[in-house]
Amino acid sequence: MAGYHVAPLEKLVEQFEQLPGIGNKTAQRLAYFVLNLPKERAQAFADAILTAHEKIHYCKVCCNLTDGELCPVCRDESRDRSVICVVEDPRDVFAFERTHEFKATYHVLHGAISPLSGIGPDQLCIKELLARVQDGTVKEVIMATNPTVEGEATAMYLSRLLKPLGIKVTRLAYGIPVGGDLEYADEVTLSRAIEGRSEM
């Protein structure tokens, strides 16, 4: 069995391996699963990928993903346009929307400043954010970038650009997760929790 391989199958496995969080074994399982699908279902799967690629693009206002000119949030007239919540990733918008608590708007950067990875401000959707705050409608920008070195650096960079424009810049409060134990929290998380405390 030396040199046993089926080139199209190997290519399929390689493609699945490129997906985040997918190792070789899982990629093999997915490849065999797809191979065992009836041809129509395999075609529908491939078509869904291509259609998503062709139809989905950035919202012209907030840079979230959409299949229209504007995303559902930017189309919603009831949203508070004076507040923008800045996030790194479209999945973060989905997380906020699941809470049903946030009634303002978003701006998706599509990443964070990371000099080590070669990502600078020009690779992010920052100029689009600056264009949104020019007309005086926006009063507050909430920095909801991730609590990482890159997320913090991005929040600080944006804060320096926005504050001179007279816009209130706030940072999402980070702290102890509900159901978590204080003894397992690191120093940064604890200090953030103290800073972000609110009156009961």
Side-chain angles (χ1 to χ4, degrees), residues 170-183:
T170 56
R171 185 78 169 107
L172 205 61
Y174 291 108
I176 313 301
V178 174
D181 285 315
L182 289 179
E183 63 178 303

Side-chain angles (χ1 to χ4, degrees), residues 108-114 119-128 154:
V108 183
L109 296 172
H110 293 279
I113 295 169
S114 177
I119 300 169
D122 293 342
Q123 275 83 49
L124 305 177
C125 296
I126 291 174
K127 62 181 182 300
E128 293 86 348
T154 306

Side-chain angles (χ1 to χ4, degrees), residues 57-133:
H57 51 266
Y58 290 1
C59 169
K60 72 171 194 171
V61 174
C62 74
C63 300
N64 196 6
L65 299 178
T66 182
D67 61 346
E69 194 178 2
L70 298 175
C71 73
V73 172
C74 289
R75 281 198 305 264
D76 185 349
E77 293 296 326
S78 69
R79 294 283 180 150
D80 179 0
R81 312 250 173 227
S82 71
V83 179
I84 297 176
C85 180
V86 175
V87 296
E88 291 180 25
D89 191 273
R91 289 170 297 188
D92 301 332
V93 172
F94 184 68
F96 273 102
E97 287 298 288
R98 276 200 320 254
T99 69
H100 303 290
E101 295 292 323
F102 190 69
K103 304 298 182 201
T105 62
Y106 300 96
H107 191 84
V108 183
L109 296 172
H110 293 279
I113 295 169
S114 177
L116 292 176
S117 305
I119 300 169
D122 293 342
Q123 275 83 49
L124 305 177
C125 296
I126 291 174
K127 62 181 182 300
E128 293 86 348
L129 174 63
L130 295 176
R132 289 177 72 182
V133 301

